PDB file of all heavy atoms in Angstrom:
ATOM      1  N   LEU A 378      -6.987  31.731 -14.012  1.00 80.00           N
ATOM      2  CA  LEU A 378      -5.426  31.349 -14.061  1.00 80.00           C
ATOM      3  C   LEU A 378      -4.625  32.493 -14.422  1.00 80.00           C
ATOM      4  O   LEU A 378      -3.524  32.781 -13.895  1.00 80.00           O
ATOM      5  CB  LEU A 378      -5.335  30.262 -15.059  1.00 80.00           C
ATOM      6  CG  LEU A 378      -5.629  28.835 -14.566  1.00 80.00           C
ATOM      7  CD1 LEU A 378      -5.602  27.842 -15.760  1.00 80.00           C
ATOM      8  CD2 LEU A 378      -4.776  28.466 -13.442  1.00 80.00           C
ATOM      9  N   ALA A 379      -5.148  33.380 -15.349  1.00 79.00           N
ATOM     10  CA  ALA A 379      -4.464  34.511 -15.851  1.00 79.00           C
ATOM     11  C   ALA A 379      -4.289  35.533 -14.725  1.00 79.00           C
ATOM     12  O   ALA A 379      -3.177  36.060 -14.476  1.00 79.00           O
ATOM     13  CB  ALA A 379      -5.158  35.095 -17.136  1.00 79.00           C
ATOM     14  N   ALA A 380      -5.356  35.855 -13.994  1.00 83.00           N
ATOM     15  CA  ALA A 380      -5.268  36.733 -12.978  1.00 83.00           C
ATOM     16  C   ALA A 380      -4.362  36.282 -11.808  1.00 83.00           C
ATOM     17  O   ALA A 380      -3.457  37.110 -11.277  1.00 83.00           O
ATOM     18  CB  ALA A 380      -6.702  37.050 -12.365  1.00 83.00           C
ATOM     19  N   ARG A 381      -4.428  34.975 -11.449  1.00 83.00           N
ATOM     20  CA  ARG A 381      -3.399  34.456 -10.441  1.00 83.00           C
ATOM     21  C   ARG A 381      -2.021  34.640 -11.060  1.00 83.00           C
ATOM     22  O   ARG A 381      -1.092  34.971 -10.301  1.00 83.00           O
ATOM     23  CB  ARG A 381      -3.686  32.955 -10.266  1.00 83.00           C
ATOM     24  CG  ARG A 381      -2.862  32.368  -9.177  1.00 83.00           C
ATOM     25  CD  ARG A 381      -3.096  30.968  -8.970  1.00 83.00           C
ATOM     26  NE  ARG A 381      -4.441  30.539  -8.976  1.00 83.00           N
ATOM     27  CZ  ARG A 381      -4.898  29.265  -9.238  1.00 83.00           C
ATOM     28  NH1 ARG A 381      -4.050  28.347  -9.562  1.00 83.00           N
ATOM     29  NH2 ARG A 381      -6.127  29.035  -9.257  1.00 83.00           N
ATOM     30  N   TRP A 382      -1.785  34.318 -12.340  1.00 80.00           N
ATOM     31  CA  TRP A 382      -0.436  34.304 -12.855  1.00 80.00           C
ATOM     32  C   TRP A 382       0.116  35.843 -12.810  1.00 80.00           C
ATOM     33  O   TRP A 382       1.251  36.095 -12.528  1.00 80.00           O
ATOM     34  CB  TRP A 382      -0.466  33.865 -14.306  1.00 80.00           C
ATOM     35  CG  TRP A 382       0.820  34.040 -14.987  1.00 80.00           C
ATOM     36  CD1 TRP A 382       1.850  33.228 -14.945  1.00 80.00           C
ATOM     37  CD2 TRP A 382       1.114  35.143 -15.868  1.00 80.00           C
ATOM     38  NE1 TRP A 382       2.880  33.727 -15.683  1.00 80.00           N
ATOM     39  CE2 TRP A 382       2.534  34.910 -16.318  1.00 80.00           C
ATOM     40  CE3 TRP A 382       0.505  36.301 -16.373  1.00 80.00           C
ATOM     41  CZ2 TRP A 382       3.163  35.772 -17.092  1.00 80.00           C
ATOM     42  CZ3 TRP A 382       1.117  37.166 -17.094  1.00 80.00           C
ATOM     43  CH2 TRP A 382       2.496  36.876 -17.504  1.00 80.00           C
ATOM     44  N   VAL A 383      -0.774  36.746 -13.235  1.00 82.00           N
ATOM     45  CA  VAL A 383      -0.270  38.261 -13.163  1.00 82.00           C
ATOM     46  C   VAL A 383       0.102  38.601 -11.788  1.00 82.00           C
ATOM     47  O   VAL A 383       1.050  39.278 -11.645  1.00 82.00           O
ATOM     48  CB  VAL A 383      -1.456  39.071 -13.730  1.00 82.00           C
ATOM     49  CG1 VAL A 383      -1.225  40.554 -13.418  1.00 82.00           C
ATOM     50  CG2 VAL A 383      -1.698  38.903 -15.256  1.00 82.00           C
ATOM     51  N   GLN A 384      -0.740  38.215 -10.763  1.00 86.00           N
ATOM     52  CA  GLN A 384      -0.416  38.534  -9.475  1.00 86.00           C
ATOM     53  C   GLN A 384       0.896  38.029  -8.929  1.00 86.00           C
ATOM     54  O   GLN A 384       1.771  38.641  -8.403  1.00 86.00           O
ATOM     55  CB  GLN A 384      -1.554  38.140  -8.495  1.00 86.00           C
ATOM     56  CG  GLN A 384      -1.267  38.531  -7.032  1.00 86.00           C
ATOM     57  CD  GLN A 384      -1.156  39.910  -6.739  1.00 86.00           C
ATOM     58  OE1 GLN A 384      -2.041  40.682  -7.336  1.00 86.00           O
ATOM     59  NE2 GLN A 384      -0.220  40.377  -5.958  1.00 86.00           N
ATOM     60  N   GLU A 385       1.153  36.677  -9.313  1.00 84.00           N
ATOM     61  CA  GLU A 385       2.416  36.026  -8.959  1.00 84.00           C
ATOM     62  C   GLU A 385       3.688  36.645  -9.628  1.00 84.00           C
ATOM     63  O   GLU A 385       4.726  36.781  -9.106  1.00 84.00           O
ATOM     64  CB  GLU A 385       2.338  34.516  -9.311  1.00 84.00           C
ATOM     65  CG  GLU A 385       1.444  33.823  -8.322  1.00 84.00           C
ATOM     66  CD  GLU A 385       1.095  32.352  -8.850  1.00 84.00           C
ATOM     67  OE1 GLU A 385       1.518  32.030  -9.888  1.00 84.00           O
ATOM     68  OE2 GLU A 385       0.359  31.757  -8.120  1.00 84.00           O
ATOM     69  N   GLU A 386       3.494  36.925 -10.904  1.00 82.00           N
ATOM     70  CA  GLU A 386       4.465  37.524 -11.666  1.00 82.00           C
ATOM     71  C   GLU A 386       4.918  38.937 -11.171  1.00 82.00           C
ATOM     72  O   GLU A 386       6.157  39.205 -11.069  1.00 82.00           O
ATOM     73  CB  GLU A 386       4.137  37.589 -13.263  1.00 82.00           C
ATOM     74  CG  GLU A 386       4.355  36.357 -13.859  1.00 82.00           C
ATOM     75  CD  GLU A 386       5.819  35.789 -14.142  1.00 82.00           C
ATOM     76  OE1 GLU A 386       6.663  36.556 -14.525  1.00 82.00           O
ATOM     77  OE2 GLU A 386       5.968  34.588 -13.807  1.00 82.00           O
ATOM     78  N   THR A 387       3.839  39.762 -10.989  1.00 85.00           N
ATOM     79  CA  THR A 387       4.017  41.143 -10.460  1.00 85.00           C
ATOM     80  C   THR A 387       4.762  41.002  -9.128  1.00 85.00           C
ATOM     81  O   THR A 387       5.768  41.816  -8.859  1.00 85.00           O
ATOM     82  CB  THR A 387       2.673  41.769 -10.382  1.00 85.00           C
ATOM     83  OG1 THR A 387       2.138  41.760 -11.625  1.00 85.00           O
ATOM     84  CG2 THR A 387       2.941  43.182  -9.914  1.00 85.00           C
ATOM     85  N   THR A 388       4.355  40.195  -8.247  1.00 89.00           N
ATOM     86  CA  THR A 388       5.037  40.081  -6.940  1.00 89.00           C
ATOM     87  C   THR A 388       6.443  39.665  -7.067  1.00 89.00           C
ATOM     88  O   THR A 388       7.317  40.147  -6.412  1.00 89.00           O
ATOM     89  CB  THR A 388       4.282  39.065  -6.109  1.00 89.00           C
ATOM     90  OG1 THR A 388       2.920  39.555  -5.947  1.00 89.00           O
ATOM     91  CG2 THR A 388       4.968  38.852  -4.717  1.00 89.00           C
ATOM     92  N   ALA A 389       6.739  38.725  -7.915  1.00 85.00           N
ATOM     93  CA  ALA A 389       8.107  38.231  -8.135  1.00 85.00           C
ATOM     94  C   ALA A 389       9.016  39.324  -8.747  1.00 85.00           C
ATOM     95  O   ALA A 389      10.110  39.495  -8.348  1.00 85.00           O
ATOM     96  CB  ALA A 389       8.191  36.954  -9.074  1.00 85.00           C
ATOM     97  N   MET A 390       8.457  39.989  -9.751  1.00 85.00           N
ATOM     98  CA  MET A 390       9.172  41.040 -10.375  1.00 85.00           C
ATOM     99  C   MET A 390       9.546  42.246  -9.403  1.00 85.00           C
ATOM    100  O   MET A 390      10.591  42.736  -9.363  1.00 85.00           O
ATOM    101  CB  MET A 390       8.598  41.568 -11.587  1.00 85.00           C
ATOM    102  CG  MET A 390       8.620  40.577 -12.826  1.00 85.00           C
ATOM    103  SD  MET A 390       8.102  41.234 -14.305  1.00 85.00           S
ATOM    104  CE  MET A 390       6.352  41.510 -13.997  1.00 85.00           C
ATOM    105  N   GLU A 391       8.528  42.589  -8.663  1.00 88.00           N
ATOM    106  CA  GLU A 391       8.729  43.706  -7.639  1.00 88.00           C
ATOM    107  C   GLU A 391       9.759  43.199  -6.614  1.00 88.00           C
ATOM    108  O   GLU A 391      10.532  44.107  -6.052  1.00 88.00           O
ATOM    109  CB  GLU A 391       7.426  44.119  -7.050  1.00 88.00           C
ATOM    110  CG  GLU A 391       6.631  44.877  -8.029  1.00 88.00           C
ATOM    111  CD  GLU A 391       5.157  45.221  -7.669  1.00 88.00           C
ATOM    112  OE1 GLU A 391       4.771  44.756  -6.480  1.00 88.00           O
ATOM    113  OE2 GLU A 391       4.421  45.956  -8.285  1.00 88.00           O
ATOM    114  N   ALA A 392       9.689  41.969  -6.157  1.00 89.00           N
ATOM    115  CA  ALA A 392      10.668  41.550  -5.064  1.00 89.00           C
ATOM    116  C   ALA A 392      12.034  41.439  -5.630  1.00 89.00           C
ATOM    117  O   ALA A 392      12.955  41.822  -4.899  1.00 89.00           O
ATOM    118  CB  ALA A 392      10.185  40.194  -4.550  1.00 89.00           C
ATOM    119  N   SER A 393      12.220  41.065  -6.878  1.00 89.00           N
ATOM    120  CA  SER A 393      13.609  40.951  -7.401  1.00 89.00           C
ATOM    121  C   SER A 393      14.114  42.250  -8.134  1.00 89.00           C
ATOM    122  O   SER A 393      15.325  42.419  -8.184  1.00 89.00           O
ATOM    123  CB  SER A 393      13.632  39.782  -8.376  1.00 89.00           C
ATOM    124  OG  SER A 393      12.968  40.126  -9.598  1.00 89.00           O
ATOM    125  N   GLY A 394      13.187  42.982  -8.520  1.00 85.00           N
ATOM    126  CA  GLY A 394      13.618  44.256  -9.343  1.00 85.00           C
ATOM    127  C   GLY A 394      13.957  43.852 -10.734  1.00 85.00           C
ATOM    128  O   GLY A 394      14.406  44.745 -11.500  1.00 85.00           O
ATOM    129  N   ASP A 395      13.787  42.607 -11.194  1.00 82.00           N
ATOM    130  CA  ASP A 395      14.212  42.147 -12.526  1.00 82.00           C
ATOM    131  C   ASP A 395      13.073  42.071 -13.383  1.00 82.00           C
ATOM    132  O   ASP A 395      12.141  41.161 -13.298  1.00 82.00           O
ATOM    133  CB  ASP A 395      14.902  40.816 -12.457  1.00 82.00           C
ATOM    134  CG  ASP A 395      15.285  40.322 -13.758  1.00 82.00           C
ATOM    135  OD1 ASP A 395      15.341  41.110 -14.825  1.00 82.00           O
ATOM    136  OD2 ASP A 395      15.675  39.103 -13.914  1.00 82.00           O
ATOM    137  N   PHE A 396      12.858  43.100 -14.244  1.00 78.00           N
ATOM    138  CA  PHE A 396      11.724  43.171 -15.119  1.00 78.00           C
ATOM    139  C   PHE A 396      12.126  42.703 -16.688  1.00 78.00           C
ATOM    140  O   PHE A 396      11.279  42.774 -17.560  1.00 78.00           O
ATOM    141  CB  PHE A 396      11.097  44.516 -15.232  1.00 78.00           C
ATOM    142  CG  PHE A 396      10.476  44.872 -13.876  1.00 78.00           C
ATOM    143  CD1 PHE A 396      11.322  45.527 -12.986  1.00 78.00           C
ATOM    144  CD2 PHE A 396       9.233  44.778 -13.658  1.00 78.00           C
ATOM    145  CE1 PHE A 396      10.846  45.926 -11.770  1.00 78.00           C
ATOM    146  CE2 PHE A 396       8.567  45.214 -12.512  1.00 78.00           C
ATOM    147  CZ  PHE A 396       9.419  45.784 -11.368  1.00 78.00           C
ATOM    148  N   SER A 397      13.341  42.271 -16.803  1.00 75.00           N
ATOM    149  CA  SER A 397      13.903  41.947 -18.155  1.00 75.00           C
ATOM    150  C   SER A 397      13.182  40.902 -18.900  1.00 75.00           C
ATOM    151  O   SER A 397      13.166  41.119 -20.204  1.00 75.00           O
ATOM    152  CB  SER A 397      15.374  41.647 -18.033  1.00 75.00           C
ATOM    153  OG  SER A 397      15.592  40.415 -17.267  1.00 75.00           O
ATOM    154  N   GLN A 398      12.491  39.936 -18.319  1.00 72.00           N
ATOM    155  CA  GLN A 398      11.909  38.918 -19.059  1.00 72.00           C
ATOM    156  C   GLN A 398      10.687  39.388 -19.810  1.00 72.00           C
ATOM    157  O   GLN A 398      10.196  38.890 -20.760  1.00 72.00           O
ATOM    158  CB  GLN A 398      11.585  37.761 -18.294  1.00 72.00           C
ATOM    159  CG  GLN A 398      10.410  37.929 -17.403  1.00 72.00           C
ATOM    160  CD  GLN A 398      10.104  36.689 -16.604  1.00 72.00           C
ATOM    161  OE1 GLN A 398      10.937  35.741 -16.353  1.00 72.00           O
ATOM    162  NE2 GLN A 398       8.837  36.552 -16.020  1.00 72.00           N
ATOM    163  N   TRP A 399      10.164  40.591 -19.390  1.00 73.00           N
ATOM    164  CA  TRP A 399       9.037  41.137 -20.015  1.00 73.00           C
ATOM    165  C   TRP A 399       9.344  42.401 -20.880  1.00 73.00           C
ATOM    166  O   TRP A 399       8.524  43.166 -21.357  1.00 73.00           O
ATOM    167  CB  TRP A 399       7.849  41.464 -19.004  1.00 73.00           C
ATOM    168  CG  TRP A 399       7.393  40.146 -18.533  1.00 73.00           C
ATOM    169  CD1 TRP A 399       7.620  39.645 -17.236  1.00 73.00           C
ATOM    170  CD2 TRP A 399       6.580  39.286 -19.359  1.00 73.00           C
ATOM    171  NE1 TRP A 399       7.013  38.406 -17.260  1.00 73.00           N
ATOM    172  CE2 TRP A 399       6.382  38.146 -18.422  1.00 73.00           C
ATOM    173  CE3 TRP A 399       5.982  39.246 -20.514  1.00 73.00           C
ATOM    174  CZ2 TRP A 399       5.649  37.009 -18.781  1.00 73.00           C
ATOM    175  CZ3 TRP A 399       5.273  38.120 -20.856  1.00 73.00           C
ATOM    176  CH2 TRP A 399       5.110  37.062 -19.942  1.00 73.00           C
ATOM    177  N   LEU A 400      10.651  42.575 -21.165  1.00 76.00           N
ATOM    178  CA  LEU A 400      11.089  43.625 -22.040  1.00 76.00           C
ATOM    179  C   LEU A 400      11.648  42.957 -23.342  1.00 76.00           C
ATOM    180  O   LEU A 400      12.224  41.973 -23.229  1.00 76.00           O
ATOM    181  CB  LEU A 400      12.164  44.512 -21.420  1.00 76.00           C
ATOM    182  CG  LEU A 400      11.896  45.245 -20.129  1.00 76.00           C
ATOM    183  CD1 LEU A 400      13.074  45.858 -19.534  1.00 76.00           C
ATOM    184  CD2 LEU A 400      10.704  46.146 -20.421  1.00 76.00           C
ATOM    185  N   VAL A 401      11.446  43.654 -24.455  1.00 72.00           N
ATOM    186  CA  VAL A 401      11.907  43.171 -25.708  1.00 72.00           C
ATOM    187  C   VAL A 401      12.741  44.237 -26.351  1.00 72.00           C
ATOM    188  O   VAL A 401      12.626  45.352 -26.118  1.00 72.00           O
ATOM    189  CB  VAL A 401      10.789  42.743 -26.704  1.00 72.00           C
ATOM    190  CG1 VAL A 401       9.886  41.574 -26.153  1.00 72.00           C
ATOM    191  CG2 VAL A 401       9.765  43.967 -26.808  1.00 72.00           C
ATOM    192  N   SER A 402      13.619  43.715 -27.159  1.00 70.00           N
ATOM    193  CA  SER A 402      14.473  44.682 -27.895  1.00 70.00           C
ATOM    194  C   SER A 402      13.710  45.397 -28.910  1.00 70.00           C
ATOM    195  O   SER A 402      12.904  44.763 -29.599  1.00 70.00           O
ATOM    196  CB  SER A 402      15.708  43.862 -28.538  1.00 70.00           C
ATOM    197  OG  SER A 402      16.483  44.849 -29.239  1.00 70.00           O
ATOM    198  N   SER A 403      13.903  46.693 -28.969  1.00 66.00           N
ATOM    199  CA  SER A 403      13.190  47.418 -29.904  1.00 66.00           C
ATOM    200  C   SER A 403      14.166  47.979 -30.976  1.00 66.00           C
ATOM    201  O   SER A 403      14.007  49.171 -31.472  1.00 66.00           O
ATOM    202  CB  SER A 403      12.421  48.676 -29.287  1.00 66.00           C
ATOM    203  OG  SER A 403      13.513  49.524 -28.647  1.00 66.00           O
ATOM    204  N   GLY A 404      14.922  47.142 -31.379  1.00 67.00           N
ATOM    205  CA  GLY A 404      15.909  47.430 -32.490  1.00 67.00           C
ATOM    206  C   GLY A 404      17.298  47.982 -31.924  1.00 67.00           C
ATOM    207  O   GLY A 404      17.401  48.273 -30.711  1.00 67.00           O
ATOM    208  N   SER A 405      18.227  48.074 -32.766  1.00 70.00           N
ATOM    209  CA  SER A 405      19.599  48.621 -32.238  1.00 70.00           C
ATOM    210  C   SER A 405      20.179  49.650 -33.361  1.00 70.00           C
ATOM    211  O   SER A 405      19.717  49.492 -34.433  1.00 70.00           O
ATOM    212  CB  SER A 405      20.470  47.472 -31.961  1.00 70.00           C
ATOM    213  OG  SER A 405      20.735  46.776 -33.133  1.00 70.00           O
ATOM    214  N   TRP A 406      20.923  50.458 -32.773  1.00 71.00           N
ATOM    215  CA  TRP A 406      21.691  51.341 -33.682  1.00 71.00           C
ATOM    216  C   TRP A 406      22.973  51.705 -33.125  1.00 71.00           C
ATOM    217  O   TRP A 406      23.218  51.451 -31.982  1.00 71.00           O
ATOM    218  CB  TRP A 406      20.827  52.587 -34.030  1.00 71.00           C
ATOM    219  CG  TRP A 406      20.690  53.492 -32.789  1.00 71.00           C
ATOM    220  CD1 TRP A 406      21.487  54.562 -32.422  1.00 71.00           C
ATOM    221  CD2 TRP A 406      19.499  53.487 -31.879  1.00 71.00           C
ATOM    222  NE1 TRP A 406      21.012  55.191 -31.293  1.00 71.00           N
ATOM    223  CE2 TRP A 406      19.850  54.550 -30.917  1.00 71.00           C
ATOM    224  CE3 TRP A 406      18.431  52.684 -31.621  1.00 71.00           C
ATOM    225  CZ2 TRP A 406      19.106  54.743 -29.912  1.00 71.00           C
ATOM    226  CZ3 TRP A 406      17.670  53.026 -30.590  1.00 71.00           C
ATOM    227  CH2 TRP A 406      17.991  53.970 -29.615  1.00 71.00           C
ATOM    228  N   THR A 407      23.771  52.168 -33.992  1.00 78.00           N
ATOM    229  CA  THR A 407      25.221  52.571 -33.577  1.00 78.00           C
ATOM    230  C   THR A 407      25.460  54.051 -33.762  1.00 78.00           C
ATOM    231  O   THR A 407      25.021  54.551 -34.800  1.00 78.00           O
ATOM    232  CB  THR A 407      26.183  51.751 -34.444  1.00 78.00           C
ATOM    233  OG1 THR A 407      25.888  50.331 -34.278  1.00 78.00           O
ATOM    234  CG2 THR A 407      27.569  51.936 -33.987  1.00 78.00           C
ATOM    235  N   THR A 408      26.012  54.573 -32.779  1.00 80.00           N
ATOM    236  CA  THR A 408      26.399  56.080 -32.926  1.00 80.00           C
ATOM    237  C   THR A 408      27.921  56.197 -32.964  1.00 80.00           C
ATOM    238  O   THR A 408      28.556  55.356 -32.382  1.00 80.00           O
ATOM    239  CB  THR A 408      25.805  56.891 -31.792  1.00 80.00           C
ATOM    240  OG1 THR A 408      26.288  56.409 -30.532  1.00 80.00           O
ATOM    241  CG2 THR A 408      24.308  56.840 -31.835  1.00 80.00           C
ATOM    242  N   GLU A 409      28.345  57.108 -33.756  1.00 81.00           N
ATOM    243  CA  GLU A 409      29.863  57.251 -33.735  1.00 81.00           C
ATOM    244  C   GLU A 409      30.222  58.690 -33.078  1.00 81.00           C
ATOM    245  O   GLU A 409      29.543  59.762 -33.371  1.00 81.00           O
ATOM    246  CB  GLU A 409      30.345  57.343 -35.197  1.00 81.00           C
ATOM    247  CG  GLU A 409      30.192  55.914 -35.869  1.00 81.00           C
ATOM    248  CD  GLU A 409      30.743  55.892 -37.197  1.00 81.00           C
ATOM    249  OE1 GLU A 409      31.706  56.690 -37.502  1.00 81.00           O
ATOM    250  OE2 GLU A 409      30.329  55.056 -38.049  1.00 81.00           O
ATOM    251  N   GLN A 410      31.290  58.704 -32.286  1.00 79.00           N
ATOM    252  CA  GLN A 410      31.738  59.939 -31.774  1.00 79.00           C
ATOM    253  C   GLN A 410      33.252  59.897 -31.893  1.00 79.00           C
ATOM    254  O   GLN A 410      33.852  59.244 -31.102  1.00 79.00           O
ATOM    255  CB  GLN A 410      31.369  60.036 -30.290  1.00 79.00           C
ATOM    256  CG  GLN A 410      29.903  60.186 -30.045  1.00 79.00           C
ATOM    257  CD  GLN A 410      29.530  60.263 -28.545  1.00 79.00           C
ATOM    258  OE1 GLN A 410      30.235  59.686 -27.746  1.00 79.00           O
ATOM    259  NE2 GLN A 410      28.470  60.989 -28.291  1.00 79.00           N
ATOM    260  N   GLY A 411      33.625  60.497 -33.014  1.00 78.00           N
ATOM    261  CA  GLY A 411      35.103  60.467 -33.415  1.00 78.00           C
ATOM    262  C   GLY A 411      35.406  59.041 -33.752  1.00 78.00           C
ATOM    263  O   GLY A 411      34.907  58.464 -34.607  1.00 78.00           O
ATOM    264  N   ASP A 412      36.435  58.486 -33.036  1.00 81.00           N
ATOM    265  CA  ASP A 412      36.997  57.154 -33.350  1.00 81.00           C
ATOM    266  C   ASP A 412      36.250  56.067 -32.563  1.00 81.00           C
ATOM    267  O   ASP A 412      36.399  54.871 -32.656  1.00 81.00           O
ATOM    268  CB  ASP A 412      38.352  57.032 -32.960  1.00 81.00           C
ATOM    269  CG  ASP A 412      39.353  57.784 -33.818  1.00 81.00           C
ATOM    270  OD1 ASP A 412      38.810  58.278 -34.930  1.00 81.00           O
ATOM    271  OD2 ASP A 412      40.447  58.082 -33.463  1.00 81.00           O
TER     272      ASP A 412
END
Side-chain angles (χ1 to χ4, degrees):
L378 282 172
R381 184 184 319 157
W382 174 84
V383 167
Q384 181 62 41
E385 291 168 357
E386 284 293 309
T387 302
T388 301
M390 286 189 293
E391 288 175 351
S393 70
D395 181 14
F396 296 83
S397 62
Q398 74 179 20
W399 291 105
L400 297 176
V401 294
S402 178
S403 61
S405 63
W406 68 89
T407 304
T408 57
E409 293 184 28
Q410 293 178 328
D412 293 342

